[in-house]
Amino acid sequence: MFQSVGLICAALLSAVAAATIERVEHDYFRYHPMPEITDWMWLMVKDHPDLVTVVDYGRTHENRTISLLKIGLDTGLKKKAVWMDCGIHAREWIAPAFCQYFVRQILQTSKTDPKMELMMKNLDFYVTPVFNVDGYVYSWKDNTTRLWRKNRSASPPGCDCQGTDLNRNFDSNWGTVRVSSDCCSNRYGGTGPMSEPETQFLTYFVGSRKDDFLCFLTIHSYGQQLLFPYGHPNFTASNYAELMEVGLAAAEAIQEAHGMIYEVGTPSDILYSFSGSSQDWAHMVGIPLAFTFELRDNGTFGFELPEDLIQPTCEEAYSGVLHIITYAHDKAFSAAAPAATAAAAAIWTVLFAAGTTTVSLM
């Protein structure tokens, strides 16, 4: 009997130990290769099944899956949405790190913060932790590939170099400003607008839901800047003043976190002109609030930001992103309240005009 009890206890201890081993906490303040990020995505689903689902929405040139996390409460109704993508340029490892941090923060605060709880009811967050999957995987290959920028598409005829700069490949004044026709260049824009499978899948997914999206946020590094449309110097956003106002307030929120200063403006004004970007495409199809975040730093470490700077970088960027999302949410949903009030007032006006003195609210 005692032997049986001992065997049972040993089995239970073994099961507990196995569960402990399986449950390894994700470290948000180090860089992760693609398999670990994929595992983390499914961990988010496991930990928050009421809020998180994985959506596969495309395939890369090398036939890898492009996936996002859809985060929000299923209300059974069509909802407004926020888009965020990270890792469009492979070497910008801080961007996928931020996407992971962002997801953790909104899920944690939704349990304690009434505002985030409300936004989970009103919005769906679509977050792609790594958009340029092929390029990101390649950047982890060894030290010689760490600074790879482009995707891994095949070289065009007559060229021996692979890859297209996905942020020059969108159908937004494609091929006109600061883009190269040399396939060996880091700024090679492809054989034509939307020539790459990655950009085709993103534009289909977002474009087919464009009326749902309140804002489009794409995360990059480096430079400590908040950019908004347009990159082409001959175009000005119709809501330029609004974009500048929102961007400056977001930069203020960023500075309050750790004192870092982010410059705000169009690429033409504070960086350099360029065409074919995702933020310009998003604004051109009608998404009003489109921003590119260029995270730390200003060039000391560049694309190889040390891991001990991941936490402050993510914390300050989160403050800026949260300001933009909150602004977009409040603008959309505060507009609904006056409309409802006006409708109710109209009903009362009609009732009083008809001489009605008793109204049933059943």
Side-chain angles (χ1 to χ4, degrees):
M1 175 180 177
F2 290 108
Q3 185 178 7
S4 299
V5 171
L7 290 172
I8 292 171
C9 290
L12 287 172
L13 288 171
S14 177
V16 170
T20 303
I21 292 171
E22 287 180 11
R23 179 65 191 196
V24 177
E25 290 299 323
H26 188 75
D27 188 347
Y28 288 88
F29 304 124
R30 73 176 183 85
Y31 298 120
H32 293 274
M34 196 64 220
E36 292 181 9
I37 295 175
T38 300
D39 290 344
W40 164 80
M41 292 176 73
W42 287 107
L43 181 64
M44 293 298 96
V45 175
K46 180 181 177 181
D47 287 351
H48 307 275
D50 57 327
L51 292 175
V52 183
T53 55
V54 171
V55 178
D56 299 335
Y57 68 97
R59 308 290 292 185
T60 66
H61 174 77
E62 295 181 338
N63 205 33
R64 292 185 174 91
T65 303
I66 308 172
S67 302
L68 60 78
L69 292 177
K70 180 183 178 184
I71 305 168
L73 191 66
D74 185 0
T75 62
L77 302 172
K78 188 176 182 181
K79 298 170 67 178
K80 291 297 183 182
V82 169
W83 175 269
M84 178 184 292
D85 66 73
C86 294
I88 193 170
H89 288 145
R91 63 193 179 187
E92 299 168 8
W93 286 9
I94 186 60
F98 174 72
C99 258
Q100 294 163 69
Y101 178 85
F102 172 80
V103 168
R104 183 189 77 164
Q105 289 303 107
I106 63 173
L107 288 172
Q108 285 186 349
T109 56
S110 69
K111 301 174 183 178
T112 57
D113 179 20
K115 184 68 173 187
M116 184 57 71
E117 184 180 6
L118 177 63
M119 288 199 286
M120 286 287 179
K121 293 177 182 177
N122 290 336
L123 302 174
D124 284 327
F125 297 83
Y126 292 87
V127 181
T128 302
V130 181
F131 176 61
N132 178 8
V133 185
D134 291 348
Y136 187 72
V137 170
Y138 186 67
S139 73
W140 278 82
K141 181 175 176 286
D142 55 45
N143 289 336
T144 67
T145 64
R146 172 62 184 87
L147 295 180
W148 184 261
R149 171 182 168 98
K150 303 183 286 183
N151 75 347
R152 295 292 294 163
S153 60
S155 59
C159 180
D160 294 329
C161 298
Q162 284 184 264
T164 292
D165 181 351
L166 296 177
N167 208 39
R168 299 293 186 275
N169 190 241
F170 285 82
D171 192 9
S172 49
N173 299 306
W174 178 85
T176 56
V177 180
R178 199 177 171 86
V179 61
S180 178
S181 58
D182 176 5
C183 74
C184 293
S185 169
N186 267 337
R187 294 183 282 107
Y188 176 60
T191 57
M194 321 300 290
S195 62
E196 306 308 298
E198 293 90 346
T199 52
Q200 292 170 19
F201 283 118
L202 186 153
T203 54
Y204 175 77
F205 187 91
V206 175
S208 61
R209 301 163 173 80
K210 61 183 180 181
D211 294 337
D212 299 337
F213 284 103
L214 301 177
C215 57
F216 182 100
L217 306 174
T218 181
I219 312 300
H220 290 246
S221 73
Y222 61 93
Q224 295 175 201
Q225 295 167 326
L226 253 177
L227 308 174
F228 57 81
Y230 285 96
H232 197 294
N234 295 343
F235 292 82
T236 301
S238 58
N239 62 334
Y240 176 95
E242 178 186 32
L243 289 166
M244 179 62 83
E245 181 181 358
V246 174
L248 287 172
E252 185 176 341
I254 288 170
Q255 187 174 0
E256 288 174 358
H258 294 291
M260 283 296 167
I261 296 175
Y262 275 54
E263 199 172 3
V264 181
T266 67
S268 300
D269 290 339
I270 65 172
L271 184 58
Y272 47 74
S273 300
F274 61 94
S275 60
S277 72
S278 63
Q279 72 158 18
D280 283 8
W281 170 84
H283 196 273
M284 288 176 74
V285 299
I287 301 175
L289 299 172
F291 287 94
T292 296
F293 277 70
E294 295 284 357
L295 304 182
R296 292 196 194 186
D297 60 2
N298 277 327
T300 302
F301 301 105
F303 301 113
E304 298 178 279
L305 194 72
E307 288 187 328
D308 61 2
L309 294 179
I310 293 176
Q311 182 169 355
T313 301
C314 288
E315 288 172 349
E316 67 197 18
Y318 180 78
S319 296
V321 165
L322 187 62
H323 174 82
I324 294 172
I325 293 172
T326 303
Y327 171 86
H329 171 272
D330 292 352
K331 180 181 178 182
F333 290 94
S334 64
T341 303
I347 292 172
W348 280 106
T349 300
V350 171
L351 290 173
F352 280 117
T356 304
T357 56
T358 304
V359 178
S360 172
L361 299 180
M362 295 291 288

